[in-house]
Protein backbone atom coordinates (compact mmCIF):
# COMPACT_ATOMS: atom_id res chain seq x y z
CA UNK A 1 0.00 0.00 0.00
CA UNK A 2 1.41 3.37 -1.02
CA UNK A 3 1.45 6.14 1.59
CA UNK A 4 2.53 9.39 -0.09
CA UNK A 5 1.73 11.56 2.95
CA UNK A 6 3.97 9.56 5.23
CA UNK A 7 6.77 9.45 2.66
CA UNK A 8 6.66 13.22 2.14
CA UNK A 9 6.62 13.84 5.89
CA UNK A 10 9.55 11.48 6.47
CA UNK A 11 11.63 13.04 3.67
CA UNK A 12 10.87 16.54 4.93
CA UNK A 13 11.87 15.67 8.51
CA UNK A 14 15.08 14.01 7.32
CA UNK A 15 15.95 17.01 5.14
CA UNK A 16 15.38 19.43 8.01
CA UNK A 17 17.44 17.33 10.43
CA UNK A 18 20.24 17.14 7.87
CA UNK A 19 20.16 20.92 7.46
CA UNK A 20 20.17 21.46 11.21
CA UNK A 21 23.08 19.04 11.53
CA UNK A 22 25.06 20.82 8.83
CA UNK A 23 24.37 24.23 10.37
CA UNK A 24 25.41 22.94 13.78
CA UNK A 25 28.62 21.51 12.33
CA UNK A 26 29.53 24.86 10.78
CA UNK A 27 28.83 26.78 13.97
CA UNK A 28 30.82 24.36 16.09
CA UNK A 29 33.75 24.46 13.64
CA UNK A 30 33.76 28.27 13.78
CA UNK A 31 34.17 28.04 17.55
CA UNK A 32 37.14 25.69 17.29
CA UNK A 33 35.37 22.55 18.48
CA UNK A 34 37.20 19.32 17.65
CA UNK A 35 36.14 17.13 14.76
CA UNK A 36 35.18 14.19 17.00
CA UNK A 37 32.77 16.37 19.00
CA UNK A 38 31.31 17.82 15.81
CA UNK A 39 30.74 14.35 14.37
CA UNK A 40 29.06 13.21 17.59
CA UNK A 41 26.78 16.25 17.68
CA UNK A 42 25.78 15.91 14.02
CA UNK A 43 25.15 12.17 14.42
CA UNK A 44 22.93 12.86 17.43
CA UNK A 45 20.88 15.44 15.50
CA UNK A 46 20.49 13.17 12.48
CA UNK A 47 19.64 10.14 14.65
CA UNK A 48 16.94 12.14 16.40
CA UNK A 49 15.59 13.17 13.00
CA UNK A 50 15.53 9.57 11.79
CA UNK A 51 13.69 8.45 14.93
CA UNK A 52 11.16 11.28 14.61
CA UNK A 53 10.61 10.55 10.90
CA UNK A 54 9.98 6.88 11.67
CA UNK A 55 7.43 7.72 14.37
CA UNK A 56 5.60 10.28 12.24
CA UNK A 57 5.57 7.94 9.24
CA UNK A 58 4.18 5.08 11.32
CA UNK A 59 1.53 7.37 12.77
CA UNK A 60 0.42 8.49 9.33
CA UNK A 61 0.18 4.86 8.15
CA UNK A 62 -1.91 3.78 11.15
CA UNK A 63 -5.70 3.90 11.31
CA UNK A 64 -7.41 4.01 14.70
CA UNK A 65 -11.05 3.11 15.36
CA UNK A 66 -12.67 3.71 18.74
CA UNK A 67 -16.04 2.78 20.14
CA UNK A 68 -18.45 5.73 20.30
CA UNK A 69 -20.27 4.33 23.37
CA UNK A 70 -19.76 6.49 26.44
CA UNK A 71 -17.29 4.92 28.85
CA UNK A 72 -16.18 2.19 26.43
CA UNK A 73 -12.41 2.07 26.07
CA UNK A 74 -12.22 -0.26 23.06
CA UNK A 75 -9.80 1.04 20.47
CA UNK A 76 -8.37 -0.79 17.45
CA UNK A 77 -5.20 0.28 15.66
CA UNK A 78 -4.45 -1.09 12.20
CA UNK A 79 -1.61 -0.60 9.75
CA UNK A 80 -0.85 -2.29 6.47
CA UNK A 81 -4.20 -4.04 6.16
CA UNK A 82 -6.53 -4.46 3.22
CA UNK A 83 -9.59 -2.23 2.79
CA UNK A 84 -11.81 -5.23 3.58
CA UNK A 85 -9.98 -5.87 6.86
CA UNK A 86 -10.15 -2.16 7.74
CA UNK A 87 -13.91 -2.26 7.20
CA UNK A 88 -14.21 -5.36 9.42
CA UNK A 89 -12.16 -3.69 12.16
CA UNK A 90 -14.19 -0.48 11.86
CA UNK A 91 -17.42 -2.47 12.21
CA UNK A 92 -16.06 -4.32 15.23
CA UNK A 93 -14.87 -1.16 16.98
CA UNK A 94 -17.88 1.02 16.30
CA UNK A 95 -20.59 -1.58 17.09
CA UNK A 96 -20.63 -1.69 20.87
CA UNK A 97 -22.81 -4.81 20.90
CA UNK A 98 -19.96 -6.79 19.30
CA UNK A 99 -17.51 -6.03 22.11
CA UNK A 100 -19.66 -4.66 24.97
CA UNK A 101 -18.28 -7.12 27.54
CA UNK A 102 -14.62 -6.47 26.58
CA UNK A 103 -12.53 -4.70 29.22
Amino acid sequence: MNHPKSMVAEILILAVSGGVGASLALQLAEHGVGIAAIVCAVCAVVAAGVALAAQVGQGLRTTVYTCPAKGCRVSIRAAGTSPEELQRLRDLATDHSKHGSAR
Side-chain angles (χ1 to χ4, degrees):
M1 198 178 268
N2 193 3
H3 301 282
K5 287 181 184 178
S6 67
M7 185 179 293
V8 169
E10 290 175 76
I11 291 171
L12 183 62
I13 292 169
L14 292 174
V16 168
S17 69
V20 169
S23 175
L24 177 63
L26 289 174
Q27 290 178 12
L28 291 173
E30 288 175 356
H31 287 86
V33 175
I35 189 72
I38 293 173
V39 169
C40 288
V42 171
C43 286
V45 168
V46 172
V50 168
L52 178 61
Q55 289 295 314
V56 168
Q58 182 64 31
L60 290 173
R61 289 187 297 270
T62 302
T63 302
V64 179
Y65 301 113
T66 58
C67 181
K70 185 172 176 99
C72 184
R73 298 183 307 186
V74 169
S75 178
I76 298 175
R77 297 176 58 152
T81 59
S82 67
E84 296 81 19
E85 180 66 5
L86 284 175
Q87 182 61 44
R88 187 186 75 77
L89 294 172
R90 179 185 303 122
D91 292 342
L92 178 62
T94 58
D95 186 355
H96 189 68
S97 66
K98 292 182 180 178
H99 63 263
S101 62
R103 297 249 177 225

